[in-house]
Amino acid sequence: MRDRGARRGLELVSVGGAGEGLLAELGRPLDAVFGTRSFRGPPLPPREEWRDPDTGQLRSGDVVDALIARADALRADGSTLWTLAVTDADLCAPERSFVFGEATVGGCCAVVSLARLGAGPERLRARLLAEAVHELGHVAGLDHCDRGACVMVPCRTVVEGDRRGAALCARCRGLLG
């Protein structure tokens, strides 16, 4: 799935200024997993129309759609680029009262929310890394996995996420190429 001939760019973006310090720490471990070359992109300002009128949460699909439109403009030269956005806003999706993140499977963009990952700076960093690896795994074309310790196992609570950790299982690593 991963093109070993050229390193893919990984743009790390803050939505509304969230997670600026955390983004600086995220690039190196993500580059190690995905063989990317990460860099900081300009922040993405949140738009009011992304908010669910009933809950006030951001709709994750709207954020991803905005990232895709932004990436399409940046890729006009034909380069390959992934974008990972981080927001402190709580995210929701159709049929889900909240999500930790969302991605385009085999696409270019993902978003991760810090809103439900709290519990101290070290744990927040570890949880953010795990969610970023999970969502970028989808961007790389990986589906959900059924191996308990694989980061590609879906989770609905932070406790489930803590149990699965941030590492890909051998099968999923092999699928990355």
Side-chain angles (χ1 to χ4, degrees):
M1 294 192 177
R2 177 170 50 180
D3 178 6
R4 296 225 183 236
R7 291 184 74 184
R8 176 184 304 275
L10 172 59
E11 179 188 30
L12 301 173
V13 174
S14 169
V15 177
E20 290 288 341
L22 294 169
L23 282 176
E25 302 172 24
L26 201 53
R28 185 172 298 143
L30 292 175
D31 291 345
V33 172
F34 296 103
T36 52
R37 182 185 28 79
S38 63
F39 64 95
R40 294 288 300 279
L44 179 68
R47 301 186 58 143
E48 196 54 38
E49 60 262 25
W50 301 345
R51 289 208 180 276
D52 181 282
D54 297 326
T55 66
Q57 296 166 291
L58 290 184
R59 289 184 299 266
S60 57
D62 290 348
V63 177
V64 170
D65 288 346
L67 292 169
I68 291 168
R70 190 171 171 270
D72 285 346
L74 291 173
R75 278 197 311 267
D77 65 353
S79 65
T80 56
L81 177 68
W82 288 348
T83 301
L84 174 69
V86 174
T87 182
D88 59 4
D90 201 18
L91 297 174
C92 65
E95 314 283 322
R96 301 280 304 275
S97 61
F98 78 91
V99 292
F100 295 113
E102 183 171 328
T104 56
V105 177
C108 66
C109 300
V111 61
V112 173
S113 170
L114 299 171
R116 296 179 185 252
L117 301 181
E122 290 305 313
R123 184 163 283 180
L124 175 63
R125 283 183 191 90
R127 288 174 173 169
L128 173 59
L129 176 61
E131 292 307 319
V133 171
H134 179 92
E135 297 305 340
L136 286 174
H138 287 314
V139 171
L142 297 177
D143 290 319
H144 283 140
C145 183
D146 60 3
R147 290 164 178 82
C150 182
V151 74
M152 294 309 296
V153 169
C155 67
R156 296 204 183 253
T157 68
V158 290
V159 173
E160 289 175 359
D162 290 345
R163 270 197 299 265
R164 75 173 181 200
L168 293 164
C169 68
R171 180 183 152 276
C172 288
R173 268 193 319 273
L175 290 172
L176 283 179

